[in-house]
Amino acid sequence: MTGKYITSDSESVEVTVLVPAYRPGEWIDRLLSSLAEQEGCSFRVAISIDHSRGEDEAAVRQAVGRYLPSHDVSVVTHPNRLGWVDNTNHLLSDARTRFVCVLPQDDYVGRHYLARLRTAHEQHPGASVTFCDMRLEGNGYGQWEAAWNAIWSSRLRNPLRRWRLAREIWREGVVIRASSLCGDRDERVRLFLLSYFNAVAFRGMIDTGVMGEHLRIRHGRDDDFAADAVWMLVMADRGPIIRVPEVLYFKCFHQRNTHTPWEDFPKDCLWSRWLAHCQDCHEQL
């Protein structure tokens, strides 16, 4: 491992953006340029490059120089393959600010992403995480392609519903909106188990004080299938999960996403992984 974390003496910096990276050259410019445009919230950035090659580190450092030359940024490289869970956990283990956001290299955020989520924490003290709505891009999620697929979808038999869905997609893209999880601990966990498999809040702002010793993703039984969703269950256990109803996060799908192969699992494999996921959830409670 090379590189080190740069700490700031400024107590005004409350947010660290954690960027777990793997072969980042194709994506890192867009992410860092979106961070450079953030308004209303001071932050630092920590980047961890998994299984780093010389060109990977060079691409990241050049992008940092282009977009965040005056920011507090650290770059750490790992010569061996960690995998997404351990690479993210490495960043989490070195977090030194009250709030952290995990932003994978191939995603990007809107101008007010950090400020809106930070304000939501002020309005909801004790929340484990605040998050926003997420728009999907790539792999069939482009506005025209997704709208066309909605029109011809076999899942919606009512033609009027198909056209309404297509019109909505054409206007704003494919957007995932999850609900806030409030109430007592049992109610939050119940709601999570009913509707939170997509783990949208993984892309939110986490309060490290609320999470305490649970600020770490646990490995799943079956190749870390849905390990992010299990971590969201831990967040629901620790405190409320608060939604900011605004599209501020943009998720890019492509063939090298960790979760892309999940969509093509054969049925028997999918069932076995789902059962393993349920066991992982049970052990968290």
Side-chain angles (χ1 to χ4, degrees):
M1 183 180 73
T2 61
K4 71 173 185 177
Y5 289 97
I6 303 172
T7 58
S8 172
D9 294 330
S10 174
E11 295 182 359
S12 64
V13 179
E14 292 188 286
V15 181
T16 302
V17 176
L18 309 177
V19 182
Y22 175 72
R23 304 293 184 260
E26 185 176 355
W27 311 103
I28 196 67
D29 279 73
R30 186 174 64 177
L31 171 59
L32 296 188
S33 66
S34 74
L35 291 177
E37 295 176 352
Q38 294 300 298
E39 296 180 354
C41 184
S42 59
F43 63 96
R44 61 169 63 98
V45 181
I47 305 171
S48 178
I49 308 174
D50 192 6
H51 200 195
S52 178
R53 308 166 298 180
E55 58 265 37
D56 296 328
E57 183 177 3
V60 169
R61 293 192 182 279
Q62 289 168 11
V64 169
R66 280 192 293 271
Y67 301 109
L68 300 170
S70 60
H71 276 73
D72 182 352
V73 181
S74 67
V75 180
V76 175
T77 63
H78 305 274
N80 300 318
R81 184 77 165 103
L82 299 179
W84 76 271
V85 170
D86 283 336
N87 196 26
T88 304
N89 280 338
H90 173 81
L91 289 164
L92 289 166
S93 68
D94 279 285
R96 297 291 181 268
T97 52
R98 178 180 173 186
F99 301 105
V100 297
C101 299
V102 178
L103 298 187
Q105 65 184 21
D106 41 13
D107 299 342
Y108 66 102
V109 292
R111 185 184 302 271
H112 302 291
Y113 167 79
L114 293 176
R116 294 280 199 275
L117 299 190
R118 178 66 186 88
T119 298
H121 273 291
E122 293 177 356
Q123 296 170 343
H124 300 273
S128 59
V129 60
T130 59
F131 72 100
C132 59
D133 298 341
M134 180 171 66
R135 193 174 80 190
L136 309 184
E137 299 183 352
N139 273 20
Y141 290 110
Q143 285 173 269
W144 167 250
E145 187 175 2
W148 181 257
N149 289 338
I151 293 172
W152 293 102
S153 172
S154 59
R155 297 181 181 180
L156 295 177
R157 296 185 178 182
N158 187 320
L160 182 58
R161 290 187 63 192
R162 293 185 190 179
W163 279 104
R164 285 175 177 170
L165 177 60
R167 183 176 62 181
E168 180 181 346
I169 292 172
W170 178 249
R171 286 176 175 174
E172 61 179 69
V174 180
V175 176
I176 296 182
R177 299 177 176 90
S179 301
S180 295
L181 299 184
C182 300
D184 61 21
R185 181 258 187 189
D186 289 346
E187 177 67 4
R188 296 193 305 267
V189 168
R190 183 186 71 83
L191 291 173
F192 174 90
L193 293 173
L194 285 174
S195 61
Y196 245 69
F197 179 72
N198 280 330
V200 178
F202 182 83
R203 284 87 181 172
M205 183 178 289
I206 302 161
D207 189 324
T208 62
V210 172
M211 291 299 291
E213 63 183 14
H214 301 283
L215 191 69
R216 185 177 180 85
I217 305 170
R218 175 177 172 171
H219 282 284
R221 277 180 167 78
D222 206 336
D223 196 27
D224 294 328
F225 174 71
D228 52 351
V230 177
W231 197 36
M232 296 302 96
L233 175 59
V234 178
M235 292 185 184
D237 177 71
R238 298 294 295 173
I241 295 177
I242 301 299
R243 174 195 175 208
V244 173
E246 188 173 350
V247 178
L248 297 168
Y249 194 101
F250 303 88
K251 173 67 184 169
C252 181
F253 283 79
H254 53 86
Q255 292 306 310
R256 289 197 286 120
N257 284 132
T258 298
H259 46 71
T260 295
W262 298 354
E263 300 176 4
D264 299 320
F265 285 156
K267 192 171 183 178
D268 58 342
C269 177
L270 188 60
W271 273 113
S272 67
R273 292 194 174 218
W274 177 252
L275 289 174
H277 170 66
C278 292
Q279 287 179 288
D280 291 335
C281 289
H282 177 72
E283 291 182 359
Q284 291 289 348
L285 300 177

